[in-house]
Amino acid sequence: MKWGAYLTEGLRPVIDLVYPPRCPLCGDALADQGGLCGECWGELSIPGEPSCSSCGRPYDLGKSGDDTRCFVCVANPPKHSGIAAATIYNDASRRLVLTYKHGRKIALASLLGRLLASRLPDANSEEDAALLIPVPLHRWRLWQRGFNQSGLLAQELEKRGKGQVLIDGLLRCKRTQSLGGMGAKARRKVLSGAITINSSRAHQISGREVILVDDVLTSGATSDACVEALLGAGASSVQIACFARVVENEFDPSLQRVSKTFSIDETGPENITPGVITTPGAT
């Protein structure tokens, strides 16, 4: 055990005395820091099987015929190599994200990162490890918030042997408005030209497997822009890893609506993607 770990263990009783362990969702007392109470654990929705072989979205295989891909991926095959999500976006995961990101409770990065790490395989070796690249924030947004929530998650994944962090592999060179409240088409328009490769890191990305790290995956417009930039820089593949993903037909009791986020019909005048417009915590 390293000295840092010894110090942490030695100070734990003092920390617990000053800051008694509490569930970040309901406030109930806990035995240890950094977790949830049993009831709140039960409120999290964890992705399961069967799921789409292309994007990992849970769905009923019987409704897709013989194809193991979901209808969205059949209609519009993604450029990414898969999506690993720790949770399905619901009331519990929403509150965790809002507390973490907007409540500035950055200590939750350890919990969120631990849950996400459980969905990813360990790196075989340092030489073969994938690059962990977070979805970037514009410098002004970073200055206002004080941290990049996706960057902290990427660092947590590195600690757990899931890859090597390249914190500034991507840049958000254009300041964009918040994407919450927009449909898929409007999001893509806003993000056009906003995300680019950091030219000083391009040589590190070329030929490497990349895991794109984000906190919440909604319509996929932001991740699509990142994936396109990374593949354009020569990345051999790009997998998306997120703490929570919005899935169609997932009922959110706190918002009293059914989200139907993933729409393949883009014929409407505004191309509004139902559900995205009411996804708090999504950027």
Side-chain angles (χ1 to χ4, degrees), residues 69 87 105 114-115 206 276:
R69 296 174 297 167
T87 65
K105 304 295 185 181
R114 186 168 73 247
L115 289 171
S206 180
V276 174

Side-chain angles (χ1 to χ4, degrees), residues 93-171:
S93 59
R94 175 184 68 88
R95 286 184 286 144
L96 274 176
V97 168
L98 291 177
T99 301
Y100 169 53
K101 184 161 62 174
H102 300 298
R104 301 177 183 272
K105 304 295 185 181
I106 61 175
L108 284 174
S110 178
L111 170 62
L112 274 57
R114 186 168 73 247
L115 289 171
L116 180 51
S118 68
R119 311 294 293 185
L120 295 169
D122 292 335
N124 294 325
S125 65
E126 289 188 9
E127 294 77 14
D128 298 329
L131 291 178
L132 298 163
I133 299 181
V135 171
L137 292 180
H138 187 269
R139 61 182 180 275
W140 284 109
R141 180 71 60 83
L142 183 61
W143 178 79
Q144 291 171 338
R145 184 171 296 165
F147 63 96
N148 181 348
Q149 70 279 356
S150 300
L152 295 182
L153 291 179
Q155 291 173 337
E156 291 295 330
L157 293 179
E158 182 181 54
K159 292 178 185 177
R160 291 165 173 78
K162 305 305 177 180
Q164 300 174 342
V165 170
L166 186 61
I167 202 73
D168 58 348
L170 289 169
L171 299 176

Side-chain angles (χ1 to χ4, degrees), residues 6-38:
Y6 277 119
L7 182 61
T8 299
E9 289 299 316
L11 291 176
R12 178 168 294 179
V14 178
I15 295 173
D16 288 349
L17 178 63
V18 178
Y19 302 103
R22 297 283 181 181
C23 174
L25 288 183
C26 69
D28 282 356
L30 298 175
D32 297 299
Q33 303 278 1
L36 301 174
C37 69

Side-chain angles (χ1 to χ4, degrees), residues 20-115:
R22 297 283 181 181
C23 174
L25 288 183
C26 69
D28 282 356
L30 298 175
D32 297 299
Q33 303 278 1
L36 301 174
C37 69
E39 185 174 347
C40 289
W41 274 120
E43 291 181 5
L44 290 177
S45 178
I46 308 299
E49 298 295 337
S51 62
C52 173
S53 61
S54 182
C55 75
R57 182 183 298 116
Y59 77 116
D60 184 353
L61 286 173
K63 295 180 180 180
S64 63
D66 296 329
D67 204 320
T68 59
R69 296 174 297 167
C70 64
F71 289 126
V72 178
C73 290
V74 170
N76 186 22
K79 295 181 179 179
H80 60 71
S81 61
I83 299 174
T87 65
I88 301 299
Y89 187 90
N90 64 4
D91 181 57
S93 59
R94 175 184 68 88
R95 286 184 286 144
L96 274 176
V97 168
L98 291 177
T99 301
Y100 169 53
K101 184 161 62 174
H102 300 298
R104 301 177 183 272
K105 304 295 185 181
I106 61 175
L108 284 174
S110 178
L111 170 62
L112 274 57
R114 186 168 73 247
L115 289 171

